[in-house]
Amino acid sequence: MRNGVLTLALIPLLLFYAIPVGAAEKEQRTWTDEIVYSLMVDRFFDGNTKNNGDANVNDPSAFNGGDFEGVTKKLNYLKDMGFTAIILSPIFANEDKGYHGDWVTDFYKTDQHYGSMQEFKKLVNEAHNLDMKVILDFQANNVGPHSSWVNDTDKQDWFHEEKGISNGSDQKLLETGWLDGLPDLNQDNEETREYLLDAAKWWITETDIDGYRLNKVQFVAKDFWKEFVDTVKSEKSNFYTIGDIQGDAEMISSYKETGMDAFMAYPQNDELREAFSAPDKDLKPVFNGFEESESKFGGKAPQALFMDTQGMPRFTKDAADHNENPGSRWRMALSYLYTMPGVPIVFYGSEIALNGNAAPDNHKLMNFKTEQELVEYITKLSDLRDKHPALTKGDMELLYEKGGTSVFKRVYGEETMVVTMNNTSETQTIKITDKELDNNKELRGMLNGDLVRSKDNSYTIVIDRESTEVYTLSPKSIINIPYMFVIGLVLLIFGIFIALIIKRSKRNERK
């Protein structure tokens, strides 16, 4: 029996030496490695009914009950899908029916519908324990329509003169006009500026959050944003800032001087939504949009790729308008977001293909009891991004593009990933020559298990309709005889050990 136990103890050691040495230790995580889930706190999950107050799930324009505790309870759900960071809609105290967070009354308080400051700190702490970052939406352009500040005699200089925005190309008017009739804060006023900057610092030091998504950027002067970014980074050096600017690539790139780390990729969004809303749509405009953005940004500011936000109709609606299955359309779109250069941001409910038109229809309550097909697909894509740095840091080169099919590669160091997308309604055959990919290797499919070996100095890829395959370019497979020998030896020893145990057991039964 003693010899049997010794044999069993040797098995883990033999297995250890039988497994080939893996890749070098992963590089330090940067923001380009993040996979971000953006959610509306009020519409995500009601974890504590005691703070609901006047919440009414039957009124889409009212608070519906989601809170900090609900987000905390679902962190593992997000972590399991591979998300490494979350963006929360504005959590500052808001006016009645300000569930969206745009009608701020106090920049130093949490909204009572979401819970206490202590509950928010618990959310941040639990996220950090799961190695997830927490980013807040920060609204510096305006306050709520009925703000007491407007009639406060001590704060008359805190606002620009009331006027609408009649000309969207007039930058000065954009920065001083009252957007949607909301009182427009005057950041040139020293008190207003100091209040906003102090509030931004306070949330960092008080709660240890990791970043801000800055809303309505083009409606506030650049000099304020530059000081804002400098200020928050002085509090936390690796603090992340994402600019939400709705404009073309040239306009958005002009805000690089503010020091923001990334920008929402609005110039690419229209093309993405159009291309992936139905099969057989050309992908050329998508890649043209990417190249234009890259040329304007100079590749220095990572772009935040997305399909929809809380300010636009759901991408699912685009698919539904074409009478298409939202699941297949979302798989194609997500494949692009997760494999192209940039940081993917997924709006809550995308993993269940939540539908909806303009707000508040696009802000429906999350449903956690629906089919999980997209959840599993997102998990697979996340796992690929986590394991292959070429998908997060690699250079991108388009190898093939025709109609609704494309092949591009991401290269980082010694690693090459090849992404093939078939956005058509028929199976496609694509030939890639050794001018684009090293010869005498093989493409190993990571999503669907496809295997393509080079033959006659080329690779012939056959890909099913409405699908994506992500390959690693690897040396051709050979039988590792020493490895197979050791594995066989381990199995033989283990089998002998089991046989001895059974034999001894039968001998004891006879006694």
Side-chain angles (χ1 to χ4, degrees):
M1 187 67 180
R2 188 183 304 160
N3 290 335
V5 172
L6 180 60
T7 303
L8 185 61
L10 286 172
I11 289 176
L13 292 175
L14 288 168
L15 283 172
F16 174 81
Y17 285 109
I19 297 173
V21 176
E25 186 176 341
K26 292 176 88 173
E27 296 181 17
Q28 184 177 359
R29 173 174 156 192
T30 67
W31 277 104
T32 57
D33 298 311
E34 305 298 341
I35 305 172
V36 186
Y37 189 90
S38 176
L39 63 89
M40 298 190 71
V41 178
D42 179 64
R43 302 303 163 96
F44 192 57
F45 186 63
D46 188 355
N48 181 7
T49 57
K50 293 179 180 178
N51 58 28
N52 283 359
D54 59 357
N56 181 2
V57 294
N58 296 315
D59 183 353
S61 296
F63 283 93
N64 279 195
D67 48 34
F68 299 141
E69 193 168 336
V71 178
T72 303
K73 288 179 177 179
K74 292 297 182 180
L75 285 175
N76 279 309
Y77 163 81
L78 300 176
K79 178 71 174 180
D80 290 345
M81 271 192 286
F83 290 103
T84 62
I86 56 173
I87 296 178
L88 304 181
S89 58
I91 65 171
F92 310 141
N94 260 247
E95 294 184 17
D96 291 344
K97 295 196 173 184
Y99 74 90
H100 40 66
D102 204 27
W103 299 345
V104 181
T105 59
D106 193 327
F107 284 81
Y108 282 88
K109 293 180 179 178
T110 61
D111 193 276
Q112 60 183 351
H113 297 87
Y114 302 152
S116 67
M117 179 64 72
Q118 196 61 37
E119 287 172 311
F120 177 68
K121 289 180 180 179
K122 179 182 178 183
L123 190 167
V124 175
N125 185 57
E126 291 293 322
H128 287 171
N129 287 340
L130 293 171
D131 201 21
M132 298 176 70
K133 292 179 170 60
V134 178
I135 302 168
L136 291 185
D137 274 343
F138 195 97
Q139 169 61 271
N141 180 66
N142 58 264
V143 291
H146 306 104
S147 173
S148 60
W149 292 0
V150 176
N151 297 318
D152 187 336
T153 55
D154 293 331
K155 289 185 171 61
Q156 292 305 296
D157 294 333
W158 282 43
F159 299 95
H160 290 118
E161 178 185 352
E162 183 174 0
K163 58 187 173 186
I165 300 176
S166 55
N167 182 3
S169 61
D170 185 338
Q171 187 58 36
K172 190 64 178 176
L173 185 57
L174 286 179
E175 295 172 4
T176 59
W178 286 32
L179 180 66
D180 297 328
L182 298 174
D184 194 75
L185 290 167
N186 178 14
Q187 293 81 14
D188 289 332
N189 177 273
E190 194 58 37
E191 289 184 355
T192 312
R193 197 182 195 95
E194 186 176 341
Y195 177 92
L196 293 170
L197 295 176
D198 286 348
K201 289 190 295 184
W202 184 84
W203 282 94
I204 299 171
T205 57
E206 186 71 17
T207 68
D208 196 29
I209 55 173
D210 304 288
Y212 286 131
R213 178 168 60 184
L214 307 172
N215 298 332
K216 302 180 182 177
V217 169
Q218 72 266 41
F219 298 98
V220 178
K222 291 175 184 173
D223 69 294
F224 170 80
W225 288 125
K226 187 177 188 313
E227 185 174 359
F228 185 99
V229 172
D230 290 342
T231 297
V232 296
K233 287 185 179 294
S234 70
E235 294 297 314
K236 193 172 183 177
S237 60
N238 60 343
F239 199 77
Y240 195 53
T241 51
I242 309 171
D244 192 312
I245 310 168
Q246 298 185 35
D248 59 25
E250 184 171 359
M251 176 191 176
I252 296 174
S253 65
S254 72
Y255 284 83
K256 285 197 300 181
E257 65 188 63
T258 65
M260 294 181 192
D261 297 289
F263 299 93
M264 299 290 286
Y266 282 98
Q268 296 185 54
N269 183 253
D270 285 345
E271 305 296 353
L272 289 176
R273 293 184 68 132
E274 172 63 22
F276 293 121
S277 61
D280 299 313
K281 286 181 175 286
D282 196 354
L283 292 180
K284 187 173 183 177
V286 170
F287 292 104
N288 287 346
F290 165 76
E291 290 174 3
E292 181 182 359
S293 293
E294 284 288 287
S295 65
K296 295 295 182 183
F297 286 109
K300 302 223 181 211
Q303 299 182 65
L305 300 173
F306 64 95
M307 294 306 298
D308 48 26
T309 69
Q310 67 186 60
M312 58 179 67
R314 295 270 180 173
F315 171 66
T316 298
K317 182 180 183 299
D318 294 0
D321 287 346
H322 285 86
N323 295 316
E324 292 294 330
N325 177 357
S328 61
R329 296 292 85 213
W330 264 114
R331 283 193 295 276
M332 293 301 302
L334 288 164
S335 297
Y336 182 92
L337 298 188
Y338 274 67
T339 58
M340 282 288 286
V343 179
I345 297 184
V346 179
F347 191 39
Y348 88 98
S350 299
E351 72 270 33
I352 60 169
L354 198 61
N355 202 347
N357 205 337
D361 190 46
N362 58 336
H363 302 161
K364 294 172 182 173
L365 278 170
M366 178 63 184
N367 183 355
F368 293 94
K369 297 179 181 179
T370 59
E371 192 172 328
Q372 299 293 294
E373 182 183 354
L374 278 176
V375 171
E376 294 174 2
Y377 193 74
I378 289 172
T379 305
K380 279 187 177 181
L381 291 172
S382 298
D383 187 54
L384 283 179
R385 275 183 66 91
D386 179 59
K387 291 179 178 177
H388 300 284
L391 292 178
T392 58
K393 300 180 176 70
D395 295 329
M396 179 270 187
E397 180 183 348
L398 185 63
L399 305 180
Y400 176 92
E401 180 275 313
K402 184 177 180 181
T405 57
S406 66
V407 180
F408 60 88
K409 67 179 179 181
R410 304 286 309 277
V411 180
Y412 183 73
E414 298 298 316
E415 182 179 64
T416 298
M417 305 294 291
V418 178
V419 181
T420 303
M421 305 188 73
N422 179 8
N423 191 44
T424 76
S425 54
E426 297 180 355
T427 299
Q428 299 292 332
T429 301
I430 305 165
K431 182 171 284 190
I432 304 296
T433 70
D434 57 359
K435 293 181 181 179
E436 288 90 19
L437 293 176
D438 292 343
N439 188 29
N440 201 31
K441 290 191 175 182
E442 65 185 22
L443 297 172
R444 300 177 190 168
M446 299 289 102
L447 275 178
N448 306 310
D450 190 23
L451 179 65
V452 180
R453 291 191 168 194
S454 66
K455 184 178 180 181
D456 298 329
N457 300 323
S458 66
Y459 298 82
T460 301
I461 301 171
V462 179
I463 183 166
D464 291 339
R465 63 189 294 271
E466 296 183 68
S467 67
T468 300
E469 181 61 288
V470 180
Y471 301 94
T472 60
L473 183 64
S474 308
K476 284 189 176 180
S477 304
I478 58 174
I479 298 176
N480 189 334
I481 295 176
Y483 177 78
M484 296 300 293
F485 174 77
V486 175
I487 288 294
L489 181 60
V490 169
L491 293 175
L492 177 61
I493 293 172
F494 188 73
I496 293 173
F497 173 72
I498 294 297
L500 289 173
I501 292 294
I502 294 173
K503 186 176 180 180
R504 174 164 292 192
S505 176
K506 290 181 177 179
R507 189 184 304 153
N508 290 336
E509 287 178 3
R510 293 193 193 102
K511 292 179 180 178

